[in-house]
Amino acid sequence: MSQINVPEKYPTCFRGRLPELTYVGKRKNGDSFSPPRILHSHTDVAELLLITQGTANYTVGEHQYVVTEGDVIALNAGVMHDEDARLAANTTSLLIGLKHIQLFHLPDNALIPKEACPVLSLKDSFPFVQNTLETIYALLKEDRVQYAETCQQLTVALVSLFVELYRRHAVPTAPAGKGALLTDRIRKYIDDHYNEEVSLQAISDALHANSYYLAHVFKENTGYSPMQYAIRLRIGKAQELLTYTNYSVTQIAGMVGYDNISHFNAMFTKYIGMAPGKYRKISVTTE
């Protein structure tokens, strides 16, 4: 028998309370019960998302990444991210939502440094991480109350493993595109005015920049035109309101900048693949 003893003392990555699992999810693109969750952020929840099959385009912050089977994406709380609804039909993923993360040398609810690349290839650790996430999902689906503690402990282990793998193998910084400062200014303007009448000319006037140039820079850095970004942000906000509030579809349309309910329904269906009412029924049932 080969025996390896655990050291009596060892370093920890946690500087305070242990992270808390808030949800676990499984998604397969094209599945009517797994509609895409487009442009959005979480105020106090971080996520680890594992691509288990296929290839995807994923936007995190101001950068787009091509991720494939065995890649995990670390999403700090408050960071805008976007799942591309045009993924191949066989693309599947698992994710966990985490609260109260307190890692050494990082702010609360951060898994990685702000400017670091959020994508990590798990390599040989992929099967273990996938099996652990599948176990958490299966246990909570069977009995959320009785298996909650087990799943919390498994989650702490996963975060600890991720921190060590990231320390050893991660790309240190995210790629910096040309015009990153202007891209940030455009993004902030849209974030602040998405529920108003947003146009390329309005952005150009507000930022005192040539409309053609700012559109080109934004598309180069994010993969979307400013207007595409504004639409995705509106639909992402609508998804959040449909899931977590009792506002009517008409009220939500107005809250995210659509005066015409028919136009809102058409745009929502185009980007999510179903009408707002159907999305609400599915998302509330699966939350």
Side-chain angles (χ1 to χ4, degrees), residues 39-269:
L39 199 58
H40 67 289
S41 64
H42 310 281
T43 303
D44 58 354
V45 176
E47 290 183 339
L48 283 174
L49 185 147
L50 175 68
I51 304 299
T52 57
Q53 184 179 0
T55 301
N57 293 320
Y58 216 93
T59 299
V60 182
E62 64 184 56
H63 302 290
Q64 279 197 335
Y65 302 88
V66 177
V67 291
T68 190
E69 180 178 309
D71 287 344
V72 63
I73 308 169
L75 301 165
N76 291 345
V79 173
M80 281 286 186
H81 51 283
D82 191 349
E83 303 167 12
D84 194 326
R86 299 164 295 178
L87 308 184
N90 66 345
T91 301
T92 60
S93 60
L94 288 160
L95 69 88
I96 51 174
L98 306 160
K99 278 188 175 182
H100 310 306
I101 301 171
Q102 295 183 328
L103 301 178
F104 278 111
H105 312 300
L106 290 176
D108 287 356
N109 292 319
L111 291 161
I112 58 174
K114 182 179 179 181
E115 302 302 327
C117 178
V119 180
L120 173 70
S121 175
L122 292 179
K123 304 184 187 302
D124 293 342
S125 298
F126 170 49
F128 173 78
V129 173
Q130 181 180 11
N131 289 337
T132 305
L133 287 172
E134 291 277 12
T135 298
I136 293 172
Y137 183 86
L139 290 177
L140 289 178
K141 189 174 182 180
E142 180 179 341
D143 191 330
R144 281 185 284 182
V145 175
Q146 295 303 319
Y147 288 121
E149 183 177 15
T150 299
C151 293
Q152 291 289 357
Q153 298 299 329
L154 289 172
T155 298
V156 172
L158 272 180
V159 173
S160 179
L161 176 62
F162 168 80
V163 171
E164 180 58 23
L165 292 174
Y166 196 88
R167 183 185 69 81
R168 295 187 181 197
H169 305 301
V171 177
T173 57
K178 296 175 67 175
L181 180 59
L182 178 58
T183 298
D184 283 344
R185 293 177 64 204
I186 298 168
R187 187 194 307 276
K188 186 177 187 311
Y189 179 88
I190 298 173
D191 290 350
D192 290 342
H193 300 275
Y194 73 91
N195 57 349
E196 303 171 10
E197 190 68 36
V198 178
S199 68
L200 192 58
Q201 189 60 51
I203 300 172
S204 174
D205 292 343
L207 302 185
H208 307 290
N210 178 272
S211 59
Y212 174 81
Y213 176 71
L214 66 80
H216 172 75
V217 168
F218 194 82
K219 179 71 177 285
E220 185 177 72
N221 277 274
T222 68
Y224 300 120
S225 71
M227 293 302 96
Q228 287 173 327
Y229 177 85
I231 292 171
R232 297 183 77 84
L233 182 58
R234 286 176 169 181
I235 301 302
K237 294 287 187 182
Q239 286 182 289
E240 182 178 343
L241 291 167
L242 287 165
T243 302
Y244 298 109
T245 75
N246 293 319
Y247 291 116
S248 70
V249 173
T250 300
Q251 288 174 309
I252 290 172
M255 292 167 71
V256 300
Y258 289 98
D259 295 330
N260 187 310
I261 185 63
S262 296
H263 186 209
F264 171 68
N265 286 335
M267 296 303 293
F268 192 96
T269 302

